[in-house]
Amino acid sequence: DLDKHRMARERRKRGVRRGEGDGNTADSNSDSDGTSRAPLVAAAIAVALLLLWTSGSLAPSPASVTTSPPSEATKRGAAAATGLWQPSAGSRKEKRKVAGLQILRSFQHDPHAFTQGVVVHKGRLYESTGMYGRSSVRIINPSNGAVLRQIELDSSLFGEGLAGLDDMLVMITWREQTGKVYDAETLEEIQTFRYDKLTTTNEGWGITHDGANFLVSDGGSNLHTWNPEDMFAGTMRTMHTTAVKYPDGKPCTLLNELEWIPDGGGVVLANIWFSDLIVAIDPVSGYVLHTYDFKKLHPKRKPNEDVFNGIAFNETDRTLILYGKQWTRSYVVDFPDQSEKLSMVKEAFADAMPPDV
């Protein structure tokens, strides 16, 4: 129950403060890379980057960039989970690139699943699905796409995004302004919480955890920051809201599924609803740092129905697991460290912004 989870959570916190254990979790990936700023050349860099943006020359960072090794907690979590990350029947190799990234393989996906969120948490792959009467939370076998365990939401709830926190999963809903907390291993419901009128549209779409707080989208152009501690009190509150915009200042709207990655000091990846795009967002300035076009990822689908949606980052092997609503397959994509280019763009925008922004 919730009290047991609270007590366990507090014990873990006290243990970290006393130096018991390494204090890492599978989601501890929000540390800054400490890149130095260069204020004297900021304006020139910003102009150059805007030119690169419009020409489409801002490609992903090469694979030669040094990557940080996975934490011990991540390794332990992966080993203690299902051990099912190796391809098996239902999985096939892919020999093509999309958005400048190598697709490694694909696996089967339930064509009736209206995918809303996916996340890799402590070595397991989870998926949340939507639609009234069809919403669910699932543990997925990443080797072949099989559903290992599943719970259904009440038919009055339209499931949306999913995030991991400690030994729990946190799911939000579309218009009901209600969140659910589940045990990450059993999917047993632990708690319900409210977030009344906390988003710009009064809706919940995507959610991710940056190692400290939740970041939430609502189908508009804003990212809302929530403190997880408020969840345990039963009612969320918005700590602050960040407007997301393209380099030319225009709002980046229809933000949907979200995923936090540690690259460049911390970046949010977001699906854009009704498009094949993923944008990389600086959560501090709100600027879109890069756009990945996955138009050719899954060409055989119904237009305006089988929409690209679902991003899970697997830090252990640096891959993205990409989903779509009612797609027949999901894809594992090699994702080399993007820190070099994302940090460069981040710094250019940060130096070009007024001091009070």
Side-chain angles (χ1 to χ4, degrees):
D1 58 32
L2 178 58
D3 289 336
K4 291 180 180 178
H5 277 268
R6 279 176 172 167
M7 288 188 290
R9 204 155 171 261
E10 288 303 315
R11 284 197 296 270
R12 283 195 294 274
K13 286 183 179 179
R14 289 195 296 270
V16 171
R17 284 194 290 267
R18 293 168 184 162
E20 299 171 5
D22 58 8
N24 294 323
T25 70
D27 284 334
S28 61
N29 51 20
S30 61
D31 293 340
S32 173
D33 64 354
T35 307
S36 62
R37 300 176 62 176
L40 296 180
V41 296
I45 292 176
V47 171
L49 290 171
L50 287 174
L51 291 174
L52 286 170
W53 175 276
T54 56
S55 67
S57 299
L58 281 176
S61 178
S64 59
V65 177
T66 303
T67 61
S68 299
S71 68
E72 287 303 315
T74 299
K75 293 178 182 177
R76 289 196 301 271
T82 58
L84 295 173
W85 284 93
Q86 294 302 314
S88 66
S91 176
R92 68 184 181 211
K93 291 183 178 180
E94 300 277 349
K95 298 180 179 180
R96 57 196 176 102
K97 285 189 174 183
V98 178
L101 302 171
Q102 181 66 52
I103 304 175
L104 301 177
R105 63 183 179 91
S106 64
F107 55 84
Q108 295 174 348
H109 179 242
D110 178 2
H112 302 293
F114 196 75
T115 304
Q116 299 291 69
V118 288
V119 63
V120 174
H121 185 56
K122 295 195 173 181
R124 289 187 174 93
L125 176 62
Y126 300 90
E127 176 184 11
S128 60
T129 70
M131 303 296 283
Y132 292 111
R134 290 170 47 191
S135 295
S136 67
V137 178
R138 308 171 174 197
I139 302 177
I140 304 297
N141 181 337
S143 72
N144 58 19
V147 178
L148 299 175
R149 184 171 294 169
Q150 174 175 326
I151 58 100
E152 307 287 342
L153 273 69
D154 186 88
S155 61
S156 64
L157 299 176
F158 192 116
E160 284 284 348
L162 188 71
L165 174 67
D166 295 338
D167 53 356
M168 298 170 285
L169 298 173
V170 178
M171 184 186 193
I172 57 176
T173 55
W174 183 28
R175 291 177 170 173
E176 294 72 46
Q177 301 182 63
T178 297
K180 296 284 187 179
V181 183
Y182 301 99
D183 182 280
E185 184 172 355
T186 65
L187 299 187
E188 177 185 359
E189 184 176 325
I190 299 170
Q191 183 188 0
T192 296
F193 62 91
R194 298 288 300 172
Y195 48 94
D196 299 300
K197 299 180 180 180
L198 288 190
T199 65
T200 309
T201 63
N202 291 330
E203 297 177 356
W205 285 42
I207 183 170
T208 190
H209 189 256
D210 67 3
N213 299 306
F214 291 121
L215 300 173
V216 177
S217 66
D218 59 15
S221 59
N222 291 323
L223 290 180
H224 308 280
T225 302
W226 294 352
N227 185 345
E229 294 300 324
D230 294 330
M231 178 180 70
F232 295 100
T235 303
M236 282 291 196
R237 65 185 178 88
T238 296
M239 298 169 63
H240 61 267
T241 296
T242 302
V244 179
K245 57 267 185 185
Y246 291 106
D248 60 4
K250 292 181 179 179
C252 179
T253 62
L254 298 177
L255 297 174
N256 199 2
E257 155 78 333
L258 305 176
E259 179 74 341
W260 174 269
I261 62 171
D263 303 16
V267 169
V268 178
L269 299 181
N271 284 116
I272 303 298
W273 176 239
F274 275 123
S275 84
D276 295 307
L277 304 178
I278 290 177
V279 292
I281 304 165
D282 176 6
V284 177
S285 69
Y287 275 112
V288 172
L289 306 175
H290 188 71
T291 300
Y292 303 89
D293 188 346
F294 287 95
K295 183 178 182 179
K296 297 180 180 179
L297 180 64
H298 188 77
K300 295 182 180 180
R301 49 182 152 144
K302 299 175 184 177
N304 300 324
E305 186 173 340
D306 300 346
V307 180
F308 179 38
N309 192 58
I311 313 166
F313 176 61
N314 187 356
E315 187 176 8
T316 303
D317 62 2
R318 286 212 57 96
T319 57
L320 295 179
I321 299 93
L322 302 179
Y323 275 65
K325 300 178 185 292
Q326 302 173 145
W327 283 13
T328 56
R329 302 197 73 78
S330 300
Y331 299 86
V332 180
V333 179
D334 186 40
F335 196 66
D337 195 309
Q338 310 286 291
S339 293
E340 185 177 11
K341 283 190 170 60
L342 292 179
S343 294
M344 180 177 66
V345 183
K346 251 188 178 184
E347 291 300 320
F349 285 132
D351 291 338
M353 290 173 66
D356 59 342
V357 174

